[in-house]
Amino acid sequence: GSKYVELIKSKFELVWSYIKMKGILHFALYELLLIRKFFLVNTSDYQEYKRYHFPRMRFVLQEFVEGLAYDYKALVFGEKIFLLKRSIRKDDFRASGSGKFEFVSEVSDGLLEYIYSTYKSFNCPCVSLDIVECKDNFGLIEFQFLHFGPYTLQKSDGYFVKHDGVWKYNQSPESILEEEFSSSYLSYIL
């Protein structure tokens, strides 16, 4: 989602954004830590929770790409590409979280080749990719291998797959997430 995504234009804004984010997240984690410490009998649970959550303060910096109207969310499971076009809201710069989604069944072969070659370069069974298109090129702005949202697969009416060197859109009224995970992991292992 885009809840904590901000457009940073200066070093001051970067520092201020980090402080705001750290304050909010650490306050919530601290409350949970206190609940675990004082109300749970198992103190090893408290120690494990503390070690897992407190040493990390994760954030990602991305270069701002001027003039984008949309991006693509691609979920790749084995040979299948599920694709969602996400438009940017007026007076905003973010596509994720905009709610302006379009499931596309016609895109350029160049986009599909870029998605598939990026997926193959990671050597993994499945991946979520956020792709931008600018000046006849494509760019990867974000990727996840684990714990990515399945919306693109679950709401799509089909997927892209390459048959005899040609990209085709296969309409499939219902793709089942667990089956796609299982199939992609099985083909990856074998």
Side-chain angles (χ1 to χ4, degrees), residues 5-8 64-65 68 88-89 91-95:
V5 175
E6 294 187 37
L7 179 59
I8 305 296
F64 178 67
V65 182
L68 291 179
I88 296 169
R89 289 180 294 227
D91 299 324
D92 200 351
F93 66 95
R94 299 166 291 186

Side-chain angles (χ1 to χ4, degrees), residues 3 11 25 92 102 152 161:
K3 185 176 182 179
K11 288 181 183 179
L25 293 177
D92 200 351
E102 177 187 353
T152 301
V161 67

Side-chain angles (χ1 to χ4, degrees), residues 35-165:
I35 290 169
R36 284 176 177 263
K37 182 176 183 178
F38 293 110
F39 295 106
L40 295 176
V41 178
N42 183 355
T43 58
S44 67
D45 176 71
Y46 158 74
Q47 292 298 329
E48 186 175 327
Y49 184 83
K50 183 178 172 183
R51 267 193 308 276
Y52 181 78
H53 286 287
F54 275 87
R56 300 174 180 97
M57 188 61 216
R58 301 177 189 122
F59 67 96
V60 175
L61 295 176
Q62 296 174 330
E63 185 176 335
F64 178 67
V65 182
E66 189 76 41
L68 291 179
Y70 58 88
D71 74 3
Y72 292 100
K73 166 65 79 179
L75 299 186
V76 186
F77 290 88
E79 301 298 311
K80 297 178 182 178
I81 299 175
F82 296 86
L83 198 56
L84 175 66
K85 184 177 180 180
R86 305 181 303 186
S87 294
I88 296 169
R89 289 180 294 227
K90 185 179 184 201
D91 299 324
D92 200 351
F93 66 95
R94 299 166 291 186
S96 68
S98 72
K100 297 175 74 173
F101 302 146
E102 177 187 353
F103 290 95
V104 290
S105 58
E106 293 182 23
V107 294
S108 72
D109 286 353
L111 173 63
L112 296 169
E113 290 294 337
Y114 180 82
I115 291 168
Y116 192 71
S117 66
T118 302
Y119 156 72
K120 291 303 266 185
S121 73
F122 286 124
N123 191 23
C124 61
C126 53
V127 67
S128 170
L129 305 170
D130 291 3
I131 307 291
V132 293
E133 182 176 8
C134 50
K135 299 177 188 165
D136 298 325
N137 289 315
F138 302 99
L140 176 65
I141 58 172
E142 190 174 319
F143 60 89
Q144 296 92 25
F145 301 108
L146 301 171
H147 195 68
F148 52 81
Y151 180 89
T152 301
L153 179 143
Q154 292 173 323
K155 301 296 182 184
S156 177
D157 69 348
Y159 55 88
F160 292 92
V161 67
K162 200 171 198 179
H163 289 292
D164 298 324

